[in-house]
Amino acid sequence: MKYNSVFDIIGPVMIGPSSSHTAGAARVGKAARNLLGTEPTWAKIHLYESFAKTHKGHGTDFALAGGLLGFETDDPRMNQSLEIAKSKHIDITFIEDTAAVDHPNTARLIVGNDHTQVELVGVSIGGGKVEITELNGFELRLSGNHPALLVMHNDRFGAIASVTTILAKHEINIGHMEVNRKDVGDAALMVIEVDQNIKQNIMSELREAAHITNICTIIS
């Protein structure tokens, strides 16, 4: 099997019965949390095919909740994630969706709070590896060979330059970059593959850049 996602991680240490249904699901949930930028207060999670049929028995439900809580795959609290989320008044709804998908282990997460929300599609492709194939309606096309930045921003003059200038200042080379927008002046997404992982102080600087609404780093 070929793995070519920026979310590929080999050999997870995990809590739960299945690397595909538990570890992978937890990483999809955590990706949604990271892209939201904070812990959500609610989540609507559409599960498809295998995920829909076996999510309770294989721990996909508590794994997704654990990811939303920010738990790593080996966190001992993982199998209590649903109870912990409930105690924190996080409203999580699971929907067994019958729509056709390209992969049986697919979930669509719509997560948010009173101020904002994020929608993504995640696929668990085996061995704890996952792919994020869609973010807020944008399809993601990444080589999977390098770390990447997903930058949600307003389509405004200078937004792209504000990000690339910071990367250049810190001597971070861009290997590949794509920019997509909904419409002129509307929401836009920068997908940037770089040659090294981005340190937290640089991430903080990027978050303060002009017209940036959200940013997440993905480690290959």
Side-chain angles (χ1 to χ4, degrees), residues 60-83:
T60 305
D61 49 1
F62 71 67
L64 286 162
L68 293 175
L69 291 167
F71 296 167
E72 299 294 339
T73 58
D74 60 347
D75 194 301
R77 299 169 293 176
M78 183 63 76
N79 55 11
Q80 281 87 47
S81 296
L82 291 169
E83 291 80 6

Side-chain angles (χ1 to χ4, degrees), residues 1-206:
M1 182 180 293
K2 180 180 179 181
Y3 300 117
N4 58 2
S5 166
V6 292
F7 282 85
D8 283 359
I9 304 172
I10 297 174
V13 179
M14 52 174 265
I15 302 293
S18 168
S19 60
S20 294
H21 288 73
T22 313
R27 286 177 171 146
V28 171
K30 192 171 183 182
R33 175 194 172 99
N34 289 345
L35 289 163
L36 184 67
T38 185
E39 188 167 274
T41 58
W42 58 267
K44 293 182 179 180
I45 302 176
H46 293 251
L47 301 170
Y48 301 90
E49 297 195 10
S50 179
F51 267 7
K53 294 175 183 176
T54 65
H55 63 93
K56 292 182 179 179
H58 285 182
T60 305
D61 49 1
F62 71 67
L64 286 162
L68 293 175
L69 291 167
F71 296 167
E72 299 294 339
T73 58
D74 60 347
D75 194 301
R77 299 169 293 176
M78 183 63 76
N79 55 11
Q80 281 87 47
S81 296
L82 291 169
E83 291 80 6
I84 294 171
K86 186 175 181 180
S87 72
K88 300 179 78 170
H89 304 291
I90 301 173
D91 181 18
I92 302 177
T93 302
F94 293 98
I95 301 162
E96 296 178 4
D97 203 313
T98 58
V101 290
D102 292 332
H103 194 285
N105 297 336
T106 297
R108 179 180 296 273
L109 283 69
I110 309 166
V111 305
N113 52 37
D114 292 338
H115 307 291
T116 187
Q117 72 176 49
V118 166
E119 180 173 353
L120 64 81
V121 175
V123 180
S124 178
I125 59 175
K129 298 172 179 291
V130 302
E131 294 178 348
I132 304 304
T133 60
E134 183 181 317
L135 171 60
N136 290 349
F138 293 104
E139 291 186 6
L140 301 186
R141 297 180 296 273
L142 294 164
S143 74
N145 297 321
H146 303 283
L149 289 170
L150 304 181
V151 185
M152 297 299 302
H153 62 100
N154 297 317
D155 181 39
R156 298 288 190 277
F157 176 82
I160 297 171
S162 68
V163 171
T164 57
T165 297
I166 292 170
L167 295 177
K169 181 178 72 173
H170 292 282
E171 299 183 346
I172 296 172
N173 191 48
I174 296 173
H176 175 78
M177 180 174 181
E178 292 185 8
V179 181
N180 294 291
R181 65 185 182 184
K182 299 288 187 181
D183 201 351
V184 177
D186 205 342
L189 173 67
M190 280 182 257
V191 180
I192 307 171
E193 290 187 320
V194 295
D195 289 346
Q196 68 251 50
N197 291 328
I198 309 295
K199 295 180 179 178
Q200 284 303 313
N201 64 307
I202 303 174
M203 288 295 294
S204 297
E205 190 174 348
L206 287 166

